[in-house]
Amino acid sequence: MPFVDVIARKRDGQELSRDEIERFVVGATDGTVPDYQTSALLMAVVLRGMTDQETTWLTDARVRSGSRVDLSDLPGVKVGKHSTGGVGDKVSIALAPLAAACGVLVPKMSGRGLGHTGGTLDKLESIPGFRVGLEIPEFKAVLREVGTCIIGQTTALAPADRKLYALRDVTATVESVPLIAASIMSKKLAEGSSALVLDVKCGRGAFMKDAAGARALASTMVAIGNRAGIATEAVITRMDSPLGAAVGNSVEIAECLRVLKGDGPSDLTALVMTLAARMVVLAGEPQEARAAVAVRRALESGAGLETLRRMIERQGGDARVVDDSSRLPAARHRTSVCAERGGWLGTLDATLVGRAAAALGAGRERVDDAVDHGAGILVRARPGEQVRQGDEVLDLLYNDERRLERARTLARRSVQIVEEEPAVAPLVLESIR
Ligand code: URA
């Protein structure tokens, strides 16, 4: 059948066969299906959707486009974690060592920031010397010794996803539950974990703007993981305003250190502890309450912080930052965005704060842009707090004066002041197991 007929079948809302999906993924990757036909099929999927069966086949074909990491020689349950991405989302950097300190093996492959969302790798690279490009044997050695290791995704994992994601990015075909689910889960299945916790973000600063969309994405990914034999669960969390009080790179590392010292922002600390407890359960602790106690102990005893210190050391970083965060790169200049009138801080639009941080140099607009590790934003007033005219709401940290004006405009637009005390929704909206 000519490939145009496969596109037409999806355009008309029909279910594709396993062979047709395989042909699409293989052809898109090796170039035998040209980009214009790949793009047309992607758009047909955005408009017509996919059945669970098709989404599973799409995920599977993407996994088989590359190699899979074999962690079977490491003892115990390997529990992965993935977030669909948000602003100030530094959870993995505190969570992975905290869960590891409770005896969970946490292999973690992360990405870089693009657009308004930051990337775990960029944040870790703000620690002088930290290496994220370990080969798999070294990754496994660190995992065995420390209990966790965070590296970049190797190019051998799900290469079809890289090709398809790049095309989706420029053809307005990112926003689709089956396409996002297959993209994320193909990479997670290739990483070799035996269980997985997903943090699906929902709100203004997330792919999924409403609870129904986030629930559909979370359920689809949980189903794919479980069908592939990986115990998978998802937590849906709010992403309307930045998570924690720091957005950037070195400022987010400093905030993770505060969390592991018991002095972090309450929203971030609560989320890290909730996810860590789920990871302990997935690793074999049958009682949720005991898992929560283990996590609290690991935090209060400093065991989580010591695990992060050892991970930094083993990955070549300057572990002195753990006791002295002034060793992290800092910006030379600071200016504040203040409340223009009195009232309550309604929202702090996460997308705009993320874009403002990227404009200051903390993120990248194109994949090959360099990142300024010291630039970023500190949140001084949280949504729901009362503010007086002139109170500082955001601090902008920057090195390059030319970047300030655009960032300041975006940052000002992110601040919404309301006249009545706003209701603040809980951070964790629901769990899907
Ligand atoms: N992250 C991914 O890896 N893929 C998507 O499609 C969206 C977010």
Side-chain angles (χ1 to χ4, degrees), residues 6-50:
V6 178
I7 301 171
R9 278 177 20 77
K10 183 43 75 185
R11 178 201 63 200
D12 296 340
Q14 294 177 36
E15 184 176 59
L16 301 184
S17 69
R18 182 172 201 154
D19 279 354
E20 286 167 333
I21 289 175
E22 181 78 20
R23 203 170 141 206
F24 163 56
V25 171
V26 171
T29 315
D30 69 12
T32 51
V33 173
D35 286 358
Y36 50 83
Q37 286 192 314
T38 303
S39 306
L41 184 52
L42 288 169
M43 186 57 86
V45 172
V46 170
L47 300 175
R48 290 301 202 157
M50 276 188 151

Side-chain angles (χ1 to χ4, degrees), residues 82 84 161 165 168 174 179-180 183-184 187 207:
H82 183 79
T84 57
D161 182 67
Y165 195 81
R168 287 168 59 211
V174 171
L179 293 181
I180 297 176
S183 166
I184 291 176
K187 289 176 282 199
F207 278 120

Side-chain angles (χ1 to χ4, degrees), residues 107-432:
K108 181 82 186 88
M109 292 193 184
S110 294
R112 294 191 180 278
L114 191 60
H116 73 280
T117 60
T120 298
L121 300 185
D122 298 318
K123 295 169 198 184
L124 284 169
E125 281 181 344
S126 72
I127 301 170
F130 195 97
R131 292 180 302 129
V132 297
L134 311 191
E135 297 295 335
I136 297 300
E138 194 180 359
F139 173 61
K140 286 169 72 170
V142 178
L143 203 48
R144 199 186 287 273
E145 273 171 49
V146 179
T148 186
C149 182
I150 306 181
I151 61 169
Q153 231 144 22
T154 74
T155 50
L157 292 192
D161 182 67
R162 237 182 323 283
K163 167 74 193 193
L164 289 171
Y165 195 81
L167 264 185
R168 287 168 59 211
D169 206 22
V170 293
T171 55
T173 53
V174 171
E175 287 81 0
S176 148
V177 166
L179 293 181
I180 297 176
S183 166
I184 291 176
M185 290 305 289
S186 62
K187 289 176 282 199
K188 294 293 121 187
L189 298 186
E191 282 177 14
S193 293
S194 26
L196 181 61
V197 173
L198 299 165
D199 180 2
V200 177
K201 301 289 185 196
C202 167
R204 215 177 269 116
F207 278 120
M208 294 296 148
K209 307 291 178 209
D210 59 33
R215 198 175 299 125
L217 179 61
S219 313
T220 306
M221 292 197 291
V222 167
I224 294 172
N226 287 324
R227 256 185 249 131
I230 301 208
T232 305
E233 52 182 64
V235 176
I236 299 178
T237 63
R238 218 160 24 87
M239 179 41 71
D240 289 313
S241 301
L243 184 60
V247 179
N249 297 293
S250 63
V251 287
E252 293 202 34
I253 294 292
E255 190 164 82
C256 288
L257 293 169
R258 283 200 294 280
V259 168
L260 292 175
K261 290 174 184 173
D263 187 28
S266 55
D267 60 341
L268 176 64
T269 304
L271 182 54
V272 166
M273 292 179 74
T274 302
L275 295 174
R278 290 315 307 165
M279 292 170 83
V280 172
V281 169
L282 284 171
E285 167 55 63
Q287 287 194 33
E288 215 161 312
R290 290 228 304 248
V293 169
V295 169
R296 180 158 298 284
R297 269 205 204 112
L299 186 80
E300 287 171 358
S301 67
L305 186 69
E306 287 316 304
T307 305
L308 177 59
R309 187 196 303 276
R310 278 190 288 125
M311 184 187 92
I312 294 173
E313 261 162 21
R314 272 304 264 109
Q315 295 194 236
D318 180 355
R320 291 175 298 180
V321 301
V322 171
D323 302 312
D324 179 5
S325 52
S326 71
R327 289 183 170 274
L328 291 164
R332 285 190 300 276
H333 311 291
R334 177 186 289 239
T335 190
S336 298
V337 168
C338 298
E340 286 173 2
R341 59 193 173 91
W344 274 267
L345 188 56
T347 49
L348 212 43
D349 186 309
T351 300
L352 291 171
V353 176
R355 284 175 60 200
L360 290 170
R364 49 173 80 73
E365 268 146 39
R366 296 154 46 108
V367 259
D368 47 1
D369 286 346
V371 159
D372 178 344
H373 288 118
I377 293 182
L378 298 178
V379 175
R380 304 288 300 277
R382 308 281 312 159
E385 274 178 30
Q386 201 162 12
V387 288
R388 286 167 309 182
Q389 184 180 18
D391 279 357
E392 290 165 357
V393 178
L394 297 171
D395 277 349
L396 311 188
L397 314 176
Y398 60 102
N399 287 307
D400 182 347
E401 307 258 2
R402 290 165 305 178
R403 292 177 164 275
L404 181 59
E405 254 346 283
R406 207 172 131 246
R408 189 167 17 212
T409 305
L410 290 162
R412 280 196 183 126
R413 277 176 47 210
S414 76
V415 177
Q416 183 213 19
I417 299 197
V418 293
E419 303 205 332
E420 283 176 20
E421 186 172 3
V424 179
L427 183 61
V428 176
L429 298 175
E430 65 187 273
S431 300
I432 295 183

